[in-house]
């Protein structure tokens, strides 16, 4: 691969607006000179390949796509696509995981030796995070779980050494991969429990079908140390918690179908659940407000803000998208704000129908067409955080100011289908 | 507002309601399943003409190629009836998964609740037609046999997912326990 | 795989309307009995897999999809999907080829050993045409040509023994595969020529960049016998012929950008082109009528009818879809009919937006939304032929009576993107 | 007819015209390239504000992330400018094909005709953004170097197609010979 050339303006390294403006200015003056001189445009170099900055941006987000079978990386500030990581053959790509410590990206892929035929093989694939070039692959047990959301199936434990991969074949287990040693170190039997919730360098949590949580403790070698169960803290039949949790250190929060927020501390030997508190008042429940969506919760550590997609519906509507995002202060356990989800239809139709989604036609459509709401949200962790929103069936991503809820922009033409949004 | 406005808005409103119930890949699926093709089929006509269809159920609730089919109360996937198979048979060239998730659905014809097994058909890529997602009594990942997010192509030669069936297992001892 | 059970109505073997009606009647009466007796519905058998009839139907058509990476098989009479054949990783799937003599289907696939990564391998894959099960694979040179149409890249020669596969790497060649012996027998160098036009058991034609045509003659062993060139008969720069030809025996017809129909006889040693005749009158040319689309020609052997997609446009519009299909009698070289292409927008939007495309909303949309036309057509070869039409970007297929042009039906929900329509 | 009708119809008419010029995969591409994202970019703003963009060309014809960019007169594919690259550089993790097809396009700023080389970027699957197809002087398969249907990922490690660039080779000796 050739290094990126000196070309201005479109070079991913130079995606800051300032630089782009400079670039345009530069181009402009260059040309006026050129025109003045009536000189020909000079021949250009073939073979340039763009690079990413050495450090991941604060406002970047991965957008996995089930049909295109890749995850694209977007810059929430410029609205530009920065690159993509391909996935294998599965219902939903497992989102790429970024290791700042190693400048690597990890993607767990399922492939078949003949494309859609042949022998199944699963790999933890390692890419260079600055060039997005393939670096290495680690074969794992060919039974990585595959779901229509791709949520909580793979977790990189703190320290960026151990990768935990949920298996379903249909028995449940978790494969442990040592990224340093480039090998799988263990397969932990986790009958009755599911999902991976990282909680330290050698531990992760799971949720279980009997209404308990479980902590899997690893040795420093990546082998299983021990497993510890919590007491039963939710009713799987009457009011289950979703596996779409949010994290702060060793603490995870899970919301129940009926709107109770459960806090689970995984810092101790066994998970210790705290008493849940309601996300809805009796009146709000009366009005039919419920949680719902795919990735329906997001959490900003710096401000301890919880974002929750809500809609009005009944039992069985727990996967419906919501047109409102309610904001809670976790410390005071109070609702502090209500954000409106943007209407993404114009941003979705614009690029297809050939009109500028931010122009008149876009405004008309957003007014005429009802807001379909969003299935998923994700928030950046910096001091001026962005809230990304997505409807699983619309190829567009909304960008909000996570502090004010202001609609900053919609990014169109972002693919075909998918529920996840992942901040690197 | 002109009639066209109302038509257009009505269409989109309706569409939005439908869409809001749709799930992954429904961009090229459709809740009123089968779209233009089905009305040409006797079974679909049965629905339109409110005749009695499969399982002795009237209208769309009796049509295995529509999302409203009574057995689809907890399904998530492409309907095999639109993919070369049926609600009981996988399309040619695919293999039915022996393990699966279940739902408890009420048959409007006899008022009885039945256990429905949504066996996936595996070994080909997405059928891509008649996407349908309903979640009555559906449960999160850790409650495996009630979860419809999972790719249930397990115990099959290949785990690529093509479409889903809706096989009647038996009468349920109780109504859908999960709300 | 278990044999298909006794279930009525949805069994692909029983896709005739009559049987379906019978089935419905059967179901209906069964149920009334059941209801009368208030009996429970009986448990059903798990594991059934449908089969196709032993012989391919006269009104079937393959619809390849670039994004879903497969080709679906549709029944033009019932509008039902019968099954699908997956493809590999490429821009466009090469359409499956049906051998009635062998009850086999052949698909030339490009795969990578790691999904989107790894080593490229190309295969001629063999499926059983009644079960659609994989039967065998024959490895071919890993350089099969890949285009955005997939037209004329693979040809099964008469007798169903030799498969010719166009290569582009970027040098041009053709790989010959012996289906009987299950092996590749030769790679023919065809510098300057492209596409594969079968013209006999051991011969196929090609079109060349110097305005000539070429015949490749094979030995009975599948090795190259000789190559023979025609004289120059068209001007590649001024008025090239498209490679989207139609066939009757050893004769192929090709249309030029400016509307001349060239007939080439490949039955002799070297191709012998006949003098071309115009598809448009001077007035029609004056009005801007041109050929255009992807698979813009179709031919019915029994009636010697040529179908041609036309539109009004200028130079560079040769890939634009057309809203009219002009019908010609090849023997008398006269235009005998004009068909209107159906407006496929309602059939495309219906399944997505949740309305019945044949109902009021569909009629309204078809009235309100302009007809985008069609890129591709294909005609069945029976005595009551159907004409299939497709717009490359709309997931819907139109079905017309090929004799009268009557719009019989539109089949919706047929995928995402693709230009080809292939009658088995 | 109400204003909304006219807007709506205008939109769809326009859309149809656009669509009719679109090619494979444009279902999720778009002729006014980049859609909602671009207007936020200085270059796109340049276009909107009719400022001078790349190559000293005003408006959309000067914007390498739009299908109307003057160099795109014979392109067919996803614009790398919308995929993490530019009209001169491939996106990260892909490889530029050394062989390709060419077009002869006129630069409206200097009125000169230039040979444009549409090198494909290879090794990743479809970018899926900013689909653009124009066929000025495009020729059938047998006229290789003028054909934009071909997957030109040749001589690269992998032949999977991701997006296309538009590199200026040199001034053309003559205007587009192919009409």
């Amino acid at each position: 691969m050739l290094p990126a050339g000196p070309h201005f303006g479109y070079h991913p390294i130079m995606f800051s607006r300032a630089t782009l403006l400079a670039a345009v200015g530069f181009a402009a003056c260059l040309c006026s000179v050129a025109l003045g001189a009536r000189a020909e445009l000079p021949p250009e170099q073939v073979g340039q390949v763009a690079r990413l900055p050495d450090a991941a941006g604060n406002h970047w987000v991965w957008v996995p796509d089930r049909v295109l079978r890749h995850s694209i990386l977007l810059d929430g500030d410029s609205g530009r696509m920065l690159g993509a990581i391909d996935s294998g053959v599965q219902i939903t790509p497992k989102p790429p995981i970024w290791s700042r410590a190693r400048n690597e990206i990890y993607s767990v892929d399922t492939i078949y030796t003949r494309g859609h035929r042949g022998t199944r093989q699963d790999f933890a694939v390692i890419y260079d995070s600055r060039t997005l070039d393939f670096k290495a692959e680690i074969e794992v047990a060919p039974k990585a779980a595959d779901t229509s959301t791709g949520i909580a199936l793979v977790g990189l434990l703190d320290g960026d050494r151990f990768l935990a991969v949920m298996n379903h074949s249909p028995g449940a287990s978790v494969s442990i991969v040592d990224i340093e040693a480039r090998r799988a170190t263990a397969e932990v039997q986790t009958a009755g429990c599911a999902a991976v919730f990282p909680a330290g360098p050698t531990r992760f949590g799971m949720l279980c079908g009997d209404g308990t949580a479980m902590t899997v403790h690893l040795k420093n070698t990546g082998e299983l140390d021990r497993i510890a169960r919590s007491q039963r803290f939710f009713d799987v039949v009457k009011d289950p918690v979703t596996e779409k949790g949010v994290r702060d250190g060793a603490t995870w929060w899970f919301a129940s179908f009926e709107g109770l927020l459960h806090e689970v501390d995984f810092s101790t030997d066994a998970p210790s659940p705290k008493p849940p508190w309601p996300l809805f008042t009796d009146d709000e429940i009366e009005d039919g407000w419920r949680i719902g969506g795919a990735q329906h919760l997001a959490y900003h550590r710096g401000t301890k803000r919880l974002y929750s997609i809500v809609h009005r519906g009944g039992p069985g509507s727990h996967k419906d998208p919501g047109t409102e995002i309610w904001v809670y202060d976790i410390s005071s356990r109070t609702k502090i704000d209500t954000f409106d989800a943007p209407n993404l239809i114009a941003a979705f139709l614009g690029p297809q129908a050939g009109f500028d989604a931010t122009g008149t036609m876009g405004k008309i459509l957003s007014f005429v067409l009802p807001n379909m709401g969003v299935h998923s949200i994700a928030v950046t962790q910096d001091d001026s955080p962005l809230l990304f929103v997505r409807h699983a069936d619309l190829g567009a991503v909304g960008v909000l100011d996570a502090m004010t809820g202001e609609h900053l922009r919609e990014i169109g033409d972002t693919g075909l289908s998918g529920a996840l949004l992942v901040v690197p | 507002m002109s009639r066209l406005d109302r038509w257009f808005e009505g269409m989109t409103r309706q569409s939005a309601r439908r869409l809001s119930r749709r799930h992954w890949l429904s961009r090229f699926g459709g809740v009123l399943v089968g779209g233009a093709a089905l009305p040409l089929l006797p079974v679909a006509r049965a629905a339109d003409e409110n005749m009695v269809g499969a399982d002795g159920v009237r209208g769309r609730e009796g049509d295995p190629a529509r999302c409203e089919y009574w057995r689809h109360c907890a399904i998530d996937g492409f309907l095999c009836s639109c993919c070369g198979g049926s609600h009981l048979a996988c399309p040619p060239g695919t293999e039915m998964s022996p393990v699966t998730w279940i739902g408890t659905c009420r048959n409007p014809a006899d008022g009885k609740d039945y256990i429905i097994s949504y066996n996936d058909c595996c070994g080909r890529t997405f059928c891509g037609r008649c996407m349908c997602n309903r979640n009555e009594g559906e449960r999160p990942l850790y409650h495996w046999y009630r979860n419809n997010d999972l790719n249930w192509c397990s115990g099959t030669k290949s785990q690529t997912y093509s479409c889903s069936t809706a096989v009647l297992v038996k009468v349920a001892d109780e109504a859908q326990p999960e709300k």
Side-chain angles (χ1 to χ4, degrees), chain A, chain B:
Chain A
M1 190 175 84
L2 297 170
H7 175 67
F8 262 70
Y10 292 86
H11 198 297
I13 291 181
M14 305 184 168
F15 271 168
S16 87
R17 284 177 175 225
T19 329
L20 268 170
L21 283 165
V24 174
F26 178 72
C29 71
L30 237 192
C31 301
S32 38
V33 172
L35 293 182
R38 269 264 162 270
E40 296 169 356
L41 294 176
E44 293 163 336
Q45 179 194 357
V46 170
Q48 297 182 58
V49 178
R51 284 173 57 96
L52 292 180
D54 286 344
N58 285 334
H59 287 172
W60 292 0
V61 65
W62 289 107
V63 183
D65 196 286
R66 298 173 182 119
V67 182
L68 293 177
R69 293 176 176 171
H70 67 181
S71 299
I72 64 173
L73 181 63
L74 299 178
D75 176 351
D77 291 325
S78 67
R80 291 186 68 99
M81 174 173 165
L82 304 179
I85 293 289
D86 287 347
S87 68
V89 175
Q90 64 289 301
I91 289 179
T92 303
K94 293 167 183 60
I97 298 175
W98 203 292
S99 168
R100 285 178 166 70
R102 302 176 184 282
N103 290 316
E104 290 177 342
I105 294 170
Y106 311 112
S107 175
V108 174
D109 301 343
T110 293
I111 64 99
Y112 292 84
T113 52
R114 291 292 192 261
H116 293 104
R117 302 178 295 113
T119 308
R120 171 178 176 168
Q121 290 179 295
D122 292 13
F123 295 95
V125 186
I126 304 176
Y127 296 90
D128 181 298
S129 67
R130 294 151 300 194
T131 62
L132 298 190
D133 288 341
F134 168 80
K135 258 176 94 170
E137 65 184 17
I138 306 169
E139 186 154 13
V140 296
K143 50 188 179 184
D146 179 24
T147 69
S148 56
T149 63
I151 294 171
L153 299 179
V154 180
L156 181 64
L157 305 193
D158 303 348
D160 295 10
R161 177 174 172 190
F162 295 116
L163 197 67
V165 181
M166 178 77 212
N167 295 322
H168 175 255
S169 66
S173 69
V174 176
S175 294
I176 308 299
V177 179
D178 183 336
I179 295 293
E180 260 180 35
R182 300 273 199 256
R183 64 186 182 86
T185 57
E187 180 177 345
V188 182
Q189 296 309 315
T190 57
C193 304
V196 171
F197 306 111
T202 55
R203 71 172 62 188
F204 60 91
M206 303 183 79
L207 289 172
C208 308
D210 60 359
T212 67
M214 183 169 83
T215 301
V216 176
H217 298 268
L218 303 177
K219 299 175 181 157
N220 294 333
T221 57
E223 289 149 323
L224 175 65
D225 180 358
R226 67 195 187 283
I227 279 173
R229 282 215 183 215
S230 75
Q231 78 275 23
R232 189 165 180 280
F233 66 99
F234 68 94
D235 185 319
V236 174
V237 173
K238 289 201 182 60
D239 188 22
V241 298
T242 79
E243 69 276 59
K244 289 91 173 185
V246 292
R247 176 193 184 190
D248 189 352
T251 300
W252 282 80
W253 288 271
F254 305 96
S256 77
F257 282 24
E258 303 297 331
L260 292 179
L261 190 71
H262 292 263
E263 174 178 333
V264 182
D265 176 3
F266 290 96
S267 68
T268 47
D269 180 52
S272 53
K274 307 276 178 284
W277 55 276
L279 294 171
F280 302 103
T281 66
D282 294 348
D283 289 356
E284 288 161 351
I285 289 169
E286 196 60 34
D287 292 348
W289 287 105
R290 296 174 76 87
I291 65 158
Q295 183 176 308
H296 58 86
L297 293 181
Y299 179 76
H300 184 258
R301 293 191 294 272
T303 57
K304 302 205 175 307
R305 281 175 160 224
L306 178 78
Y307 301 86
S308 170
I309 301 173
V310 296
H311 70 283
R312 290 162 104 163
S317 72
H318 53 280
K319 291 183 185 174
D320 289 8
T323 53
E324 289 189 15
I325 298 156
W326 289 9
V327 188
Y328 299 84
D329 174 47
I330 283 267
S331 4
S332 62
R333 301 187 165 190
T334 51
K335 181 185 169 199
I336 56 175
D337 207 343
T338 299
F339 293 173
D340 291 325
N343 186 340
L344 296 173
I345 289 187
F348 160 57
L349 290 179
Q352 295 191 44
F355 61 83
D356 185 338
T358 60
T360 318
M361 184 52 59
K363 290 181 175 54
I364 293 159
L365 280 186
S366 304
F367 171 79
V368 173
L369 302 181
N371 188 340
M372 288 165 53
V374 296
H375 288 97
S376 302
I377 50 177
V379 66
T380 66
Q381 295 298 329
D382 58 312
D383 294 341
S384 48
L386 298 181
L387 184 70
F388 296 103
V389 303
R390 178 183 194 182
H391 183 291
D393 304 319
L394 297 181
V397 172
V399 186
L400 281 62
D401 180 319
M403 292 295 105
T404 65
E406 181 194 354
H407 295 183
L408 299 177
R409 62 192 58 92
E410 279 117 41
I411 307 174
D413 210 7
T414 57
L416 287 164
S417 172
L420 265 176
L421 289 166
V422 176
V423 172
Chain B
M1 201 165 69
S2 79
R3 270 168 60 233
L4 177 55
D5 292 359
R6 284 194 300 278
W7 279 328
F8 178 48
E9 237 190 306
M11 182 273 281
T12 49
R13 284 272 153 70
Q14 173 197 38
S15 129
R17 273 200 307 278
R18 296 277 158 56
L19 285 161
S20 69
R21 265 192 277 104
R22 299 194 304 165
H23 198 29
W24 62 273
L25 283 178
S26 43
R27 269 285 300 290
F28 48 97
V31 168
L32 293 201
V33 171
L38 276 167
L40 308 162
L41 295 173
V43 174
R45 247 195 262 107
D48 300 344
E49 293 156 19
N50 204 23
M51 272 169 48
V52 173
D55 310 327
V57 179
R58 285 185 186 286
R60 287 179 164 170
E61 278 186 295
D63 181 353
R66 292 197 185 256
C67 201
E68 296 94 324
Y69 184 44
W70 69 275
R71 296 187 184 195
H72 292 160
C73 71
I75 201 169
D76 183 5
F78 304 108
L79 303 181
C80 292
S81 297
C82 305
C83 302
S86 73
H87 63 300
L88 294 180
C90 285
T94 65
E95 178 186 11
M96 191 179 287
S97 175
V99 291
T100 180
W101 82 101
I102 61 167
T104 307
C105 308
R106 176 157 296 170
N107 177 352
D110 62 13
K112 293 189 167 69
D113 295 298
Y114 292 89
I115 303 289
I116 305 300
S117 169
Y118 301 106
N119 302 68
D120 284 342
C121 298
C122 316
R124 289 281 195 279
T125 188
F126 299 143
C127 154
R129 306 190 80 209
C130 300
M131 176 63 212
C132 175
N133 175 228
R134 289 166 58 186
N135 301 298
E136 297 163 33
E138 196 269 351
R139 283 295 174 266
L141 204 53
Y142 51 78
H143 193 3
W144 303 104
Y145 68 89
R146 287 280 184 186
N147 178 264
N148 66 15
D149 283 339
L150 266 166
N151 176 353
W152 275 98
C153 287
S154 299
T156 44
K157 289 193 295 289
S158 161
Q159 282 81 55
T160 51
Y161 168 78
S162 187
C163 63
S164 300
T165 60
V167 180
L168 191 151
V169 177
K170 64 181 189 62
V171 161
D173 309 332
E174 51 172 358
Q176 175 64 266
E178 290 86 356
K179 284 289 159 300

